[in-house]
Amino acid sequence: MSEALESDASLLVVVLDINASAWARSPLALDDALQQTIIFINAYLALKPSNQLVVLASTRSECRTLYPAEPGSISDGEDIRVYEQFRAADIAILSGVRALLSSASAAASRAQTEDSEHSLISRALSKALCHINQMRSSTLDAVWPRVLVLSAGVDAAAEYISLMNGIFAAQRMGVLIDVCKVAGAGDSVFLQQAAEISGGVYLRVDARAGWSLLQTLLFGFLADHYTRQVLYLPGNERTDFRATCFCHKRIVDIGFVCSVCLSIFCRMTPVCSTCHTKFAVRGGRVERPAANGANNGTQGTARTISQQLSTASTTSTLV
Ligand SMILES: [Zn+2]
Ligand SMILES: [Zn+2]
């Protein structure tokens, strides 16, 4: 793809993680975070009249598109005194979050779910990519898409595979994934990798240390593709590249990678549970299959992650 021009429009998809349990432990209240996010969104809309916006919100049980809202789904009775251009987005986001939180609390009380601080971002990312694909195909003008994830919860190991598939799809589509870790203890390993692989920015707002969410959003994430070519944005030097094994969904430092489908295992297994490839194991050691045609698609080799991680990040074939 050619380089972005100053006149090109942006398409920003904001993913709000409104997991109530994660926000309950955060020093920054969800209401305050929402107000600051709306100011950021208004600033983005004010930058260029042709800028496009999609806002998604995700809870543990559901992921909804808040903006653009369905016609007739928003009442005109909301008393928000803002510039007319921002009004539709502000009302849609505030009323949408309110409705989603009430339905999520009803669902949580019914299901009595555990691990409620775990966020399920993968489906929101998939939905974001669908919106981008749809909006790109409906316009002939150059539009530069990016996704901004406001993350609050902790990584859910069970969604590692689907999230990585989404990240590789975004990389192939040329979509930047920016991540702002707003709440929750520590960094998100998965979202750090999302930002690193897609070329986006990962920043964590430490509210206890006096960091301001609005300041971080405006200075770290407002710049479009064109402006980023001349800016020196914060890097992702401290990205944690550990992966999650497919067998136990645990984060591992060293593991085995199937050479056929790139599945990751924490220990050597004779057969890949994903693609059913049989590995050549002799005397407790894993060997390469013979070169004389023995590898007919049913045999493979298991290598350590350090040998194949670079391959995995470029071939985009996690299953
Ligand atoms: Zn395992
Ligand atoms: Zn495999």
Side-chain angles (χ1 to χ4, degrees), residues 9-295:
S10 295
L11 167 54
L12 175 67
V13 183
V14 180
V15 175
L16 301 171
D17 176 9
I18 53 171
N19 183 327
S21 305
W23 281 103
R25 292 173 177 81
S26 163
L28 181 66
L30 175 58
D31 278 348
D32 294 339
L34 266 182
Q35 294 295 340
Q36 295 179 40
T37 306
I38 283 176
I39 294 172
F40 165 77
I41 286 172
N42 290 349
Y44 164 78
L45 291 173
L47 273 182
K48 209 171 282 178
S50 52
N51 276 353
Q52 299 180 53
L53 173 73
V54 174
V55 181
L56 308 174
S58 170
T59 64
R60 274 191 56 75
S61 55
E62 212 177 331
C63 172
R64 276 190 205 167
T65 304
L66 305 184
Y67 183 85
E70 297 279 327
S73 63
I74 296 172
S75 65
D76 294 330
E78 299 272 356
D79 183 25
I80 298 181
R81 293 178 185 177
V82 293
Y83 185 52
E84 190 59 34
Q85 191 184 0
F86 309 148
R87 184 179 168 81
D90 296 2
I91 293 175
I93 294 166
L94 288 174
S95 57
V97 166
R98 220 175 293 145
L100 191 52
L101 279 176
S102 60
S103 79
S105 65
S109 61
R110 277 199 306 272
Q112 295 285 322
T113 49
E114 291 182 0
D115 292 330
S116 55
E117 247 190 289
H118 289 168
S119 292
L120 303 176
I121 293 294
S122 64
R123 62 187 162 192
L125 180 60
S126 306
K127 210 167 183 176
L129 295 178
C130 291
H131 275 291
I132 289 169
N133 201 35
Q134 187 185 28
M135 292 173 109
R136 254 183 178 174
S137 56
S138 64
T139 179
L140 294 174
D141 300 326
V143 174
W144 294 85
R146 64 185 199 271
V147 177
L148 170 62
V149 181
L150 271 89
S151 165
V154 297
D155 290 334
E159 71 158 9
Y160 175 75
I161 302 169
S162 50
L163 188 60
M164 290 308 284
N165 278 332
I167 294 168
F168 288 132
Q171 184 193 35
R172 191 166 287 187
M173 290 167 67
V175 176
L176 302 183
I177 302 176
D178 292 330
V179 180
C180 185
K181 188 86 172 75
V182 188
D187 287 309
S188 162
V189 175
F190 300 167
L191 293 176
Q192 273 184 329
Q193 294 180 21
E196 174 70 28
I197 292 170
S198 66
V201 176
Y202 177 95
L203 287 174
R204 180 156 70 95
V205 179
D206 193 348
R208 288 192 179 87
W211 281 51
S212 158
L213 171 61
L214 178 59
Q215 191 177 359
T216 308
L217 289 173
L218 290 176
F219 284 91
F221 302 105
L222 190 57
D224 60 8
H225 283 69
Y226 170 77
T227 317
R228 287 183 192 212
Q229 295 169 24
V230 293
L231 280 184
Y232 187 72
L233 286 168
N236 307 321
E237 293 88 7
R238 291 185 300 161
T239 302
D240 188 342
F241 280 109
R242 287 180 300 168
T244 299
C245 72
F246 286 31
C247 37
H248 305 95
K249 308 286 186 278
R250 281 198 306 247
I251 294 176
V252 291
D253 294 318
I254 296 174
F256 293 88
V257 182
C258 170
S259 60
V260 177
C261 70
L262 300 179
S263 296
I264 297 160
F265 302 99
C266 59
R267 64 177 73 124
M268 177 57 205
T269 53
V271 179
C272 172
S273 60
T274 306
C275 66
H276 307 295
T277 296
K278 292 173 186 160
F279 300 121
V281 184
R282 292 197 185 88
R285 284 177 59 91
V286 183
E287 296 181 2
R288 286 170 180 272
N292 55 358
N295 190 358

Side-chain angles (χ1 to χ4, degrees), residues 289-312:
N292 55 358
N295 190 358
N296 56 4
T298 58
Q299 275 199 320
T301 56
R303 304 175 185 180
T304 61
I305 288 177
S306 57
Q307 284 173 298
Q308 278 210 314
L309 192 59
S310 58
T311 317

